[in-house]
Amino acid sequence: MLRNIIVLSLALITCGFANASGFGFQMGKAPSNYKCTAINAQPGAYSCSTAPKPHSAFESYILKASEKHGICWVKGIGRDIDDNGYGSNTKSAHAELVTLLSKPYGPVDESLDLILPGSLWDEPNEWLMSIKKKERIFTSIWKDLAVTSKPDLDRIYLAVSATGSKTGWVGLEYYAKYHDDCAQANAESESDAL
């Protein structure tokens, strides 16, 4: 009997870890289970200096959650990458992460390297500045995920950002299947305050 209880307990613990998505944060769980701080200016947003399963490419993490849905979005904020105007090192860091993410989630469903119409920063050596000025999009997207060990996970975005013409970084976002409902719940909770 004791053996059965131990096996059942281990199975439940394992299931909890198996449902973890993105840096070990568990979708649907309350942010209070992690060492995160509420971001006052944004309803349902939390800042975390560490994660249950941190990755060396990321320096901090942001969660979004609602009272009803728990965590519904996780973002890893990448470390600064010293670079040139062409974004060579930042593109390489992005490519390395695409390779790592493709192992558990399969091939990328959509890749975008798009310079927006009317961009002032359109020369090849202005690649990072066009990212910083939001005149270019460089992202990889995994959609409609069906990962047995992560049943709440819907999609993943891996995007490049920049802080200047010589510094880039990569952001990684995990979305729960109920992310839209969670975001709506947060919007409604804020409008109730008026």
Side-chain angles (χ1 to χ4, degrees), residues 93-134:
H94 180 273
E96 287 174 22
L97 288 167
V98 165
T99 300
L100 290 173
L101 288 162
S102 294
K103 290 177 184 174
Y105 303 112
V108 171
D109 291 311
E110 186 176 355
S111 293
L112 297 172
D113 183 4
L114 177 67
I115 191 156
L116 302 176
S119 172
L120 299 175
W121 303 91
D122 57 1
E123 296 296 322
N125 66 335
E126 297 173 334
W127 192 87
L128 267 181
M129 189 54 87
S130 68
I131 294 285
K132 178 183 176 7
K133 297 292 185 179
K134 300 190 184 335

Side-chain angles (χ1 to χ4, degrees), residues 26 28 35 50 74 76 94 114 122 144 160 175 180 182 187-188:
Q26 187 173 338
K35 294 179 181 176
T50 190
V74 175
H94 180 273
L114 177 67
D122 57 1
D144 302 319
V160 165
Y175 289 78
D180 294 343
C182 179
E188 290 172 3

Side-chain angles (χ1 to χ4, degrees), residues 22 25 34 38 43 46 48 59 61 68 70 73 85 95 97 103-104 111 119 135 139 142 170 178-179 181 183:
F25 292 105
Y34 306 100
Y46 297 83
C48 314
E59 65 182 14
Y61 308 88
K68 178 180 178 183
W73 180 82
L97 288 167
K103 290 177 184 174
S111 293
S119 172
E135 295 181 357
T139 189
W142 289 260
V170 180
Y178 43 84
H179 173 265
D181 293 335

Side-chain angles (χ1 to χ4, degrees), residues 116-184:
L116 302 176
S119 172
L120 299 175
W121 303 91
D122 57 1
E123 296 296 322
N125 66 335
E126 297 173 334
W127 192 87
L128 267 181
M129 189 54 87
S130 68
I131 294 285
K132 178 183 176 7
K133 297 292 185 179
K134 300 190 184 335
E135 295 181 357
R136 177 184 294 271
I137 298 168
F138 190 84
T139 189
S140 297
I141 305 165
W142 289 260
K143 300 177 183 176
D144 302 319
L145 295 170
V147 180
T148 311
S149 63
K150 299 178 182 188
D152 291 335
L153 192 58
D154 181 49
R155 61 194 184 276
I156 299 170
Y157 288 79
L158 179 67
V160 165
S161 294
T163 57
S165 62
K166 304 284 186 196
T167 308
W169 60 278
V170 180
L172 177 57
E173 301 177 11
Y174 295 86
Y175 289 78
K177 293 186 185 308
Y178 43 84
H179 173 265
D180 294 343
D181 293 335
C182 179
Q184 181 64 32

